[in-house]
Amino acid sequence: RCQDKFCKCKIPLNDEQLRKLNAIGFDWNTSRKSFEERLEQLRKFKEEHGHCNVPRRYPSLGSWVGTMRMAYWRKNKQDLSDQRIRMLNEIGFHWGRPGKASNTE
C-alpha cells in the first residue's frame, strides 16, 4: 500500500516497489509540497493584486484558498496545521468565514 496518508491510489504498491522507491529517496509527503507550491502562488498573487482574496473563479488557486478557509473554520488540523496557519498569517491571509461577505474573524 502507498505510504502517503493523503494518497488516493487505486493500485497498491507491493513491498518490493516500496523498497525501491524508498531506496532512491522518494518523497511520500505530497501534501506538504502542494501546500508550499500553493503558498508561493498566493504570494505572487498578493504581489500582483495587493491582497490574498483570490476569487473562486481564479484557476485552482481560488479553490485552494477556499479549502484553506474551510479547514480553518472546521478546525481540520490534518489539512491545516498551526504552522500552516502561521505561514498564511505571515503573508496577510484573511480567514473570513466561507460564504460570508466579511473577510475577518
Side-chain angles (χ1 to χ4, degrees):
R1 78 187 159 238
C2 187
Q3 296 289 303
D4 184 351
K5 66 183 177 183
F6 299 107
C7 183
K8 295 174 176 59
C9 296
K10 300 289 184 198
I11 303 170
L13 300 174
N14 65 39
D15 289 340
E16 180 64 15
Q17 290 168 322
L18 288 171
R19 187 190 64 70
K20 286 179 178 179
L21 289 168
N22 286 330
I24 62 169
F26 187 82
D27 183 5
W28 296 100
N29 193 356
T30 58
S31 67
R32 183 168 180 237
K33 277 187 190 175
S34 179
F35 178 86
E36 290 171 355
E37 289 170 357
R38 294 288 187 201
L39 185 65
E40 186 56 33
Q41 287 178 330
L42 185 58
R43 283 188 182 114
K44 289 177 183 176
F45 179 92
K46 184 178 180 183
E47 286 175 18
E48 185 177 332
H49 300 279
H51 59 79
C52 294
N53 300 325
V54 183
R56 272 238 185 251
R57 69 183 180 282
Y58 202 84
S60 69
L61 184 60
S63 177
W64 180 80
V65 165
T67 300
M68 293 299 99
R69 287 188 179 121
M70 289 289 262
Y72 178 81
W73 287 105
R74 290 181 177 166
K75 300 190 183 335
N76 184 343
K77 296 296 183 182
Q78 183 178 4
D79 291 335
L80 192 61
S81 66
D82 290 338
Q83 178 185 6
R84 288 179 174 184
I85 291 170
R86 279 191 299 277
M87 292 167 79
L88 287 163
N89 283 339
E90 286 172 4
I91 64 169
F93 191 80
H94 294 280
W95 299 100
R97 283 195 180 271
K100 302 285 184 190
S102 171
N103 218 17
T104 60
E105 289 185 51

